[in-house]
Amino acid sequence: MSILGRGKLLRKNARTPIPGEGGDFYTVNGISVAQGPNYALAKRMQHWRAIVARSEGCFVSSNIAPATSTVSVTQNRTFAWAYEGMPYFKPYEISAPSTSNSVMSAILFYDLNDPASAGNPKTKLNNPNQIFQFGSFNGGCWRCAYEVDSIGEASVLIYFSRIAAPYVGIVAAASAAVIAKFLGYV
């Protein structure tokens, strides 16, 4: 699959750790190019603003939510098809909107009420980006063997092969019957 996609499909998600104060830091590419540059920029700006606000003494809550099958995402058929095949790339999971809403609300309440929360500016962090590390509900994106942007096409193929499987069986049985009749076995 990787050869057919010229290195764009099924890219490994493992990256070399970045050494830093307090130990190594691990990164992951969780951005889907299909969402567009405006989406990526908006998310980065949101995170940068949270880092700045926390450094100025504000409580913050800017957490990572999982891929969620919202109406706005699944109205794009390609995304809907890919979402149907992505759970085959364990531990990746697509969350229902109600699940994401409930968990993200709980993380928000934790960030704003627990003195030990990473969102509390008095909590020591070795790196400002750790506010996202400790409040993430990533749906498996951080632990999946492949980058999220490289499994979309394979996920769509898995979805359609699952849908087509019964029909392929019927066509194979019908073809075998026709061949048997033609060769005089029946």
Side-chain angles (χ1 to χ4, degrees), residues 53-64:
R54 187 181 185 281
S55 73
E56 293 173 348
C58 297
F59 275 82
V60 297
S61 183
S62 180
N63 299 299
I64 311 294

Side-chain angles (χ1 to χ4, degrees), residues 21-173:
E21 183 182 323
D24 290 343
F25 292 97
Y26 295 86
T27 62
V28 64
N29 180 4
I31 294 177
S32 174
V33 174
Q35 292 176 309
N38 291 343
Y39 180 82
L41 181 60
K43 286 298 171 188
R44 296 302 67 81
M45 288 174 65
Q46 179 185 38
H47 289 170
W48 295 331
R49 184 64 198 126
I51 290 170
V52 169
R54 187 181 185 281
S55 73
E56 293 173 348
C58 297
F59 275 82
V60 297
S61 183
S62 180
N63 299 299
I64 311 294
T68 305
S69 58
T70 60
V71 173
S72 65
V73 173
T74 57
Q75 71 184 3
N76 178 327
R77 290 215 177 208
T78 307
F79 272 100
W81 296 332
Y83 271 22
E84 290 293 327
M86 280 185 177
Y88 287 91
F89 291 94
K90 298 291 181 193
Y92 212 93
E93 292 185 22
I94 306 299
S95 295
S98 59
T99 303
S100 288
N101 287 342
S102 298
V103 174
M104 296 309 292
S105 294
I107 295 172
L108 168 68
F109 294 137
Y110 169 79
D111 281 345
L112 299 179
N113 292 299
D114 191 315
S117 157
N120 182 345
K122 293 180 182 174
T123 301
K124 182 183 176 337
L125 301 177
N126 292 322
N127 185 303
N129 287 303
Q130 284 183 305
I131 60 175
F132 312 115
Q133 173 186 353
F134 298 119
S136 172
F137 174 43
N138 61 71
C141 177
W142 289 6
R143 296 189 43 165
C144 186
Y146 304 104
E147 290 181 9
V148 68
D149 202 37
S150 73
I151 63 173
E153 292 86 352
S155 297
V156 170
L157 288 173
I158 289 169
Y159 168 71
F160 279 115
S161 66
R162 202 178 75 222
I163 297 297
Y167 301 107
V168 171
I170 291 168
V171 169

